[in-house]
Amino acid sequence: GCTTTAPVLTSSAAVSPSASTSKPPPKSEPPSDALLKRGTLDVDVLVAEVHRRNPSLDAMRHLWRATAERPSQARALDDPMLSYGLAPGTIGNSDLVYGQKIDLSQKLPWPGKRDLRERIARSDADAALDNVDDARRLIEQRTRQAFYHYYYVHRAIAINRTNVDLLSDLYRLAEDKYAAGKVSRQDALQ
């Protein structure tokens, strides 16, 4: 990976980057000095820390885990139904037979329907995992863009300071030459 570094951020902490996007990264220990390496900020460690601290990713991982449990549930048969019925007019009446009814029923779906429900649930779980992966990539892209923008701005400021110092030195040199009479005022101003 790229190990570009930038000036230190003051409110930083870290964790090691996760190796896989197909599995959610394990929760790390509390942040330490991993984000700060020798007084510089490492982009890969920053990306890993942003992934670790992002609440949206955590929520999406939980949704994916819940969705991944649904295929076995979708394939299962519905619960059987037991019912009991009673004809109250037959109680205590010697002319009629005691009226009661017990039913046990089980819905049996059309052949192949349970397999189809399971495949749909698996597709939903795969889509949820793809959403987690897409969000991780988007967060990584935005983090890297922000890091490189931060790096660019700080490098531009450092270059600007160097240029200002050089111009100040050139200005002093031209004034010294003019004061010594080695060049005309016009040459010193140019």
Side-chain angles (χ1 to χ4, degrees):
C2 179
T3 57
T4 305
T5 56
V8 177
L9 288 175
T10 56
S11 60
S12 45
V15 71
S16 62
S18 65
S20 170
T21 57
S22 63
K23 290 184 187 175
K27 287 292 181 184
S28 300
E29 296 177 14
S32 62
D33 293 329
L35 196 56
L36 301 175
K37 292 182 179 177
R38 289 168 265 142
T40 59
L41 180 61
D42 182 75
V43 67
D44 293 328
V45 176
L46 177 64
V47 167
E49 183 65 13
V50 169
H51 280 157
R52 189 183 73 78
R53 290 184 178 205
N54 189 293
S56 297
L57 273 179
D58 200 33
M60 292 176 88
R61 275 189 224 107
H62 288 295
L63 177 64
W64 166 68
R65 286 185 189 113
T67 307
E69 297 297 323
R70 289 187 189 144
S72 61
Q73 297 167 3
R75 183 160 175 51
L77 290 171
D78 290 342
D79 291 335
M81 299 294 291
L82 177 66
S83 64
Y84 176 76
L86 176 68
T90 62
I91 298 174
N93 190 342
S94 58
D95 294 338
L96 298 173
V97 178
Y98 184 66
Q100 64 181 347
K101 180 179 173 184
I102 299 174
D103 287 328
L104 178 63
S105 64
Q106 171 71 57
K107 284 187 179 179
L108 296 174
W110 195 258
K113 209 167 188 183
R114 289 175 39 212
D115 291 335
L116 181 60
R117 285 193 304 222
E118 181 182 19
R119 284 193 318 212
I120 290 170
R122 284 194 197 288
S123 295
D124 289 346
D126 292 343
L129 180 59
D130 289 343
N131 288 343
V132 171
D133 290 341
D134 290 346
R136 284 180 57 81
R137 281 190 286 275
L138 180 64
I139 289 168
E140 179 174 352
Q141 175 192 14
R142 289 183 178 171
T143 301
R144 286 182 184 277
Q145 284 175 343
F147 174 86
Y148 289 119
H149 181 74
Y150 173 84
Y151 180 79
Y152 168 78
V153 166
H154 283 273
R155 286 297 303 146
I157 289 170
I159 290 169
N160 193 18
R161 284 186 187 134
T162 302
N163 289 341
V164 167
D165 291 344
L166 288 173
L167 284 174
S168 295
D169 290 347
L170 286 174
Y171 179 76
R172 279 193 300 275
L173 181 65
E175 280 185 336
D176 290 346
K177 282 186 175 184
Y178 174 72
K182 293 184 178 178
V183 293
S184 67
R185 179 71 176 164
Q186 184 65 26
D187 289 336
L189 292 175
Q190 290 180 357

